Amino acid sequence: MRIAMIGTGYVGLVSGACFSDFGHEVICVDKDARKIDLLEQNIMPIYEPGLAELVASNVKAGRLSFTTDLAVAVRDADAVFIAVGTPSRRGDGHADLSYVFAAAREIAENLSRDSVIVTKSTVPVGTGDEVERIINEVAPEKGAMVVSNPEFLREGAAIEDFKRPDRVVIGSENDKASEVMRQIYRPLSLNQSAPLLFVGRRTSELIKYAANAFLAVKITFINEIADLCEQVGADVQQVARGIGMDNRIGSKFLHAGPGYGGSCFPKDTLALLKTADDNDTPLRIVEATVQVNDSRKRAMGRKVIKAMGGDVRGKSVAILGLTFKPNTDDMRDAPSISIIQALQDAGATIRAYDPEGVEQAKPLLKDVLFSDSPYAAAENADALVIVTEWDEFRALDLTRMHSLLSTPLLVDLRNIYPPQEAARAGLTLVSVGKPNG
């Protein structure tokens, strides 16, 4: 199959590279000439484990290429995927679909055959209808077919998720388009039984939002249970294990912490709420989830201040982990931003370290000193705070940390370290959802 991927952001680049690895001929398109130039030099615009190697091998094999010329990419494509950004729109929180609609119009202007147009971007219910209207308005004679195919990729594990998915959702109203999609994803059925779920286009669009909203609810639920655990002397990790062993609930996304962030959950929950509001169907649980999560991030800053005796003016705090999760350089809506802001507002100075996110963090975090190691960040600090659970933070030399810190205080917002280990190193440990929290 010949595939054009419009957009070389996170979704487009990972999807395009994986499709080419399936054996398809893929051209990735982006208007940003600098980004295309970097990709042709095998310099990735994002950090994702294994992506550079995957791109290089398929470029070498002649299956993957990059261009700024959309017309060339779509001319003979069997399928054209739209994978452009849909950020939250200022003012009302709805998804900004201007990039999607602009791409649809440009695709229609350059079609030479009855291609399948696939919306890979996360879009509200009904977007596919509008994309179809635009294409039929511009190129009614081409017979293009519009399909929804939402992505379910976790940053840091995106390649594995793409190649070994729980499911592939395809929203189609056309048998021919469905067959094209079946052929595109056929390699998945050769080595596993990943189900292809064919549904209506509007249903497909809603599945993506409903899935992300449910996971956001699950994270927020266990965070509120963590708060209760601290008040009653229970252990949230044991509570999570106990309820997660019930297969109706499951253990995933039951890890208490400073709240969710990233490129998906914050904007997708807001967009879902806007869709619900437009259709006079309030989603009260999702509304509460968004409110609780927003307040939790700054509350974690107050938790650090409380652990430091209630007054941090003139004190130094070492922050380990800036990105919203490990194995990515993504700083979008990262809890670290609100936590650091709360500490700075209270008069603290911040020294921070992150394995991959510093360059992305610098424009967002003002007056922060960035260090080149966890130990450099901890030197002479009055507290050490773990915000993101990078693997390299799971086996820190706590005895060395004790010798570097001015005050032997470890605030572990990811519950990496058990109290006994911290105590052996002479550190006072403050966790999340623990009796000592």
Side-chain angles (χ1 to χ4, degrees), residues 219-262:
I219 292 168
T220 305
F221 173 80
I222 200 63
N223 283 339
E224 289 206 311
I225 293 296
D227 291 342
L228 181 59
C229 284
E230 292 181 11
Q231 295 302 315
V232 302
D235 185 327
V236 71
Q237 286 182 303
Q238 293 178 10
V239 171
R241 186 162 183 258
I243 65 176
M245 292 172 75
D246 184 331
N247 59 22
R248 296 171 299 175
I249 297 173
S251 61
K252 293 181 179 180
F253 287 83
L254 287 179
H255 303 288
Y260 62 76

Side-chain angles (χ1 to χ4, degrees), residues 421-434:
E421 189 171 345
R424 281 197 299 270
L427 294 173
T428 299
L429 176 68
V430 175
S431 306
V432 173
K434 302 273 191 170

Side-chain angles (χ1 to χ4, degrees), residues 412 415-423 429:
D412 183 0
N415 289 342
I416 294 174
Y417 290 97
Q420 308 92 308
E421 189 171 345
L429 176 68

